[in-house]
């Protein structure tokens, strides 16, 4: 209701509003290349969208569209080279990103193997397109002293968080390792491991509350040894491992809501924690951050697609225009996705056996009449960037925008009021599926 009232007020505030098609044809900026390393001239208008923002989130209507990765990779390159952004964060595990970060900063390892292991819980990033982004980051870092950093923003990976803490203590306080392993055994399991999930669930609320006490005990161990640990490592490493315990606290709170049905929305908690983790990145590294996530997470409108407050809304409240959100959309073609129903059953069965199931290709029906993707497609401009922060010039009555995370018939679109949800949108006419790396590489 709030969006409709704002839309009505803005419409009546100006007698010269453009229709959506007129606005697109007048303001859209064609994007001429999908290739990293090509001329950045076509992306120069992105500077006006970003302004002085320190956090730029780039959304996607699907997790399985190759062109979204390619276009956002070019925008990442632009923000790195032209605007000084140095942190690149994905909507996946923060705790599990350390090996890939070491690789892009020049460390040893095989990029395919590292990415496959990192993306074991998140197939959207286990692609040849994502591999190309990581190799570009490594190449860029080889030629500069201002190194790019790779990380995640999500929880949902307690094994990596526990191993981060115990590995740090093994190096700097080995006498505390055995005790710490015992304390954190309650939460050291993969969310795809049905046996681990069953054990956590069987312990009930009393078990999860005891696990929370254990995690805080481990955090206290680190805090009690702060001076000695910083002396043996450094201040940044200490702050990072302390945040690993925060990730475990987040994880336990999330699992209570998801598995034990306490009075909390697990999805809302996840977005809140991702916002907290992005804020921690900004405060800790004091560098500009590019985030990739679904459109439904990066939007700064509280009630957009999912029915809970996305992290973009929390970050807009905290940083104002220091946080910028760019959506991605398309009109035609196909993409990878895991559907509810048969795909979900296959995934759960595979998880019980320790296996991975790839998503399946889904084809989008023709654009609905008067939907935003139909309007964008009919503009004849192909692939383009459309700035939206232009007051009183855009007809903003909500219209359909495609949104696919785990598609069901109800999720094929949502009613989007673009200027109230994003600062810009990137559109490409046709989507093709991402190319997945073998799961067992």
């Amino acid at each position: 209701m709030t969006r409709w009232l704002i839309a009505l007020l803005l419409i009546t505030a100006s007698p010269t509003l453009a229709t959506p098609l007129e606005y697109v044809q007048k303001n859209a900026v064609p994007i001429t290349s999908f290739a990293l390393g090509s001329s950045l001239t076509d992306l120069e208008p992105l500077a006006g969208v970003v302004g002085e923002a320190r956090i730029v989130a780039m959304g996607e209507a699907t997790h399985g569209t190759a062109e979204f990765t390619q276009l956002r990779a070019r925008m990442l390159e632009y923000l790195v080279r032209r605007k000084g952004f140095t942190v690149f964060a994905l909507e996946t595990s923060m705790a599990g990103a350390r090996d890939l970060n070491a690789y892009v900063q020049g460390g040893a390892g095989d990029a395919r193997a590292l990415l496959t292991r990192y993306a074991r819980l998140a197939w959207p990033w286990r692609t040849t397109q994502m591999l190309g982004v990581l190799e570009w980051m490594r190449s860029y870092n080889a030629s500069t002293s201002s190194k790019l950093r790779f990380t995640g923003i999500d929880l949902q990976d307690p094994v990596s968080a526990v191993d981060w803490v115990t590995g740090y203590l093994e190096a700097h306080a080995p006498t505390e390792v055995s005790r710490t392993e015992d304390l954190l055994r309650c939460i050291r399991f993969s969310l795809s491991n049905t046996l681990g999930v069953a054990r956590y669930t069987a312990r009930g609320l009393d078990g999860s509350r005891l696990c929370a006490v254990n995690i805080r005990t481990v955090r206290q161990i680190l805090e009690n040894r702060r001076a000695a640990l910083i002396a043996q490592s450094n201040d940044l490493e200490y702050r990072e491992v302390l945040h690993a315990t925060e990730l475990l606290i987040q994880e336990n709170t999330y699992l209570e809501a998801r598995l034990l049905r306490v009075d909390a929305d697990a999805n809302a908690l996840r977005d809140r924690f991702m916002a907290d983790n992005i804020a921690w990145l900004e405060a800790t590294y004091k560098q500009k951050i590019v985030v990739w996530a679904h459109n439904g997470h990066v939007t700064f409108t509280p009630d957009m697609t999912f029915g809970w407050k996305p992290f973009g809304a929390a970050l807009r409240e905290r940083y104002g225009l220091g946080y910028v959100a760019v959506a991605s959309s398309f009109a035609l073609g196909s993409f990878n996705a895991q559907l509810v129903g048969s795909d979900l059953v296959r995934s759960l069965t595979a998880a019980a056996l320790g296996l991975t199931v790839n998503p399946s290709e889904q084809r989008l029906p023709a654009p609905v009449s008067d939907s935003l993707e139909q309007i964008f497609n009919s503009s004849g401009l192909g692939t383009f960037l459309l700035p939206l922060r232009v007051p009183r010039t855009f007809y903003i009555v909500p219209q359909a925008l495609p949104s696919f995370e785990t598609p069901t018939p109800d999720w094929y679109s949502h009613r989007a009021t673009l200027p109230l949800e994003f600062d810009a949108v990137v559109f490409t006419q046709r989507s093709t599926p991402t190319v997945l790396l073998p799961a067992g590489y």
Side-chain angles (χ1 to χ4, degrees):
M1 177 63 71
T2 301
R3 281 186 292 161
W4 283 96
L5 289 174
I6 296 174
L8 180 61
L9 288 173
L10 289 176
I11 289 170
T12 56
S14 172
T16 60
L17 290 166
T19 66
L21 181 58
E22 290 171 340
Y23 182 86
V24 171
Q25 290 174 328
K26 179 179 180 181
N27 294 284
V29 180
I31 296 176
T32 59
S33 174
F34 286 82
L36 271 169
S38 55
S39 170
L40 297 174
T41 303
D42 58 333
L43 293 180
E44 291 296 346
L46 188 58
V49 173
V50 172
E52 298 303 314
R54 295 187 57 80
I55 303 170
V56 174
M58 299 179 183
E60 56 189 1
T62 91
H63 280 323
T65 291
E67 288 76 9
F68 289 164
T69 303
Q70 293 165 336
L71 289 169
R72 292 184 301 172
R74 286 203 65 221
M75 290 191 288
L76 170 66
E77 181 180 9
Y78 176 86
L79 292 175
V80 167
R81 295 188 184 278
R82 298 286 195 269
K83 301 289 286 184
F85 282 71
T86 54
V87 178
F88 174 46
L90 291 181
E91 182 201 334
T92 190
S93 167
M94 174 179 268
R98 291 174 301 137
D99 288 345
L100 270 176
N101 181 55
Y103 176 80
V104 301
Q105 294 196 357
D110 179 279
R112 284 175 177 259
L114 290 170
L115 179 58
T116 299
R117 184 165 69 247
Y118 177 60
R120 68 193 184 282
L121 302 177
W123 63 263
W125 314 119
R126 182 171 46 86
T127 67
T128 60
Q129 289 79 22
M130 192 68 233
L131 183 63
V133 176
L134 296 173
E135 295 289 20
W136 174 82
M137 292 178 70
R138 181 180 172 93
S139 176
Y140 177 87
N141 279 340
S143 63
T144 181
S145 60
S146 182
K147 304 296 187 187
L148 303 183
R149 180 182 298 274
F150 174 84
T151 188
I153 61 171
D154 208 351
L155 43 151
Q156 301 194 94
D157 186 8
V159 172
S160 293
V162 170
D163 290 351
W164 189 352
V165 175
T166 56
Y168 179 85
L169 289 174
E170 181 71 46
H172 305 298
T175 59
E176 296 288 2
V177 172
S178 179
R179 180 186 177 198
T180 298
E181 288 176 340
D182 288 342
L183 286 167
L184 297 182
R185 189 168 286 116
C186 61
I187 201 167
R188 193 188 181 281
F189 61 89
S190 169
L191 299 190
S192 64
N193 183 313
T194 52
L195 181 58
V197 169
R199 286 173 176 166
Y200 182 95
T201 305
R203 290 194 293 265
L205 192 57
D206 287 342
S208 71
R209 297 290 163 82
L210 177 60
C211 194
V213 171
N214 289 356
I215 297 167
R216 288 183 168 85
T217 300
V218 171
R219 186 179 182 91
Q220 192 64 53
I221 291 171
L222 291 167
E223 290 175 342
N224 289 345
R225 288 176 168 264
R226 179 180 182 277
L229 290 172
I230 291 174
Q232 293 180 55
S233 57
N234 59 58
D235 182 68
L236 180 58
E237 282 188 48
Y238 175 80
R239 292 172 68 187
E240 289 173 335
V241 78
L242 204 62
H243 190 69
T245 65
E246 181 63 29
L247 292 173
L248 289 171
I249 292 169
Q250 293 175 2
E251 195 74 64
N252 195 59
T253 305
Y254 171 78
L255 288 173
E256 279 190 0
R258 176 174 166 179
L259 300 179
L260 303 180
R261 305 295 192 267
V262 298
D263 187 19
D265 185 326
N267 293 309
L269 284 171
R270 179 176 172 234
D271 263 275
R272 191 186 91 196
F273 292 147
M274 286 195 288
D276 290 344
N277 291 334
I278 294 168
W280 180 87
L281 288 170
E282 198 279 331
T284 300
Y285 299 119
K286 302 189 186 307
Q287 297 170 348
K288 295 181 179 180
I289 304 167
V290 175
V291 179
W292 286 10
H294 192 272
N295 284 346
H297 293 300
V298 308
T299 175
F300 46 75
T301 294
D303 61 346
M304 185 222 187
T305 305
F306 301 141
W308 59 84
K309 186 176 183 177
F311 73 67
L315 294 174
R316 190 64 157 229
E317 288 176 4
R318 182 186 293 230
Y319 296 104
L321 294 181
Y323 170 81
V324 164
V326 180
S328 298
S329 187
F330 71 104
L332 306 166
S334 59
F335 54 93
N336 284 324
Q338 283 189 330
L339 295 178
V340 296
S342 60
D343 277 8
L344 183 60
V345 171
R346 288 192 302 127
S347 296
L348 292 174
T349 303
L353 299 174
L355 303 174
T356 301
V357 172
N358 285 334
S360 53
E361 182 177 350
Q362 310 298 321
R363 183 163 294 278
L364 185 69
V368 177
S369 177
D370 290 331
S371 64
L372 286 167
E373 66 266 28
Q374 188 274 330
I375 293 166
F376 292 160
N377 195 45
S378 66
S379 70
L381 297 174
T383 300
F384 57 79
L385 169 72
L386 181 66
L388 297 170
R389 204 187 299 154
V390 183
R392 298 195 302 175
T393 59
F394 188 37
Y395 181 72
I396 62 170
V397 171
Q399 291 174 281
L401 180 74
S403 180
F404 307 89
E405 176 133 12
T406 304
T408 69
D410 293 336
W411 280 42
Y412 274 121
S413 64
H414 77 279
R415 302 296 289 177
T417 313
L418 284 184
L420 303 183
E421 299 183 8
F422 304 100
D423 296 292
V425 60
V426 173
F427 174 80
T428 187
Q429 285 183 307
R430 186 168 296 277
S431 166
T432 58
T434 49
V435 180
L436 294 168
L437 297 170
Y441 184 86

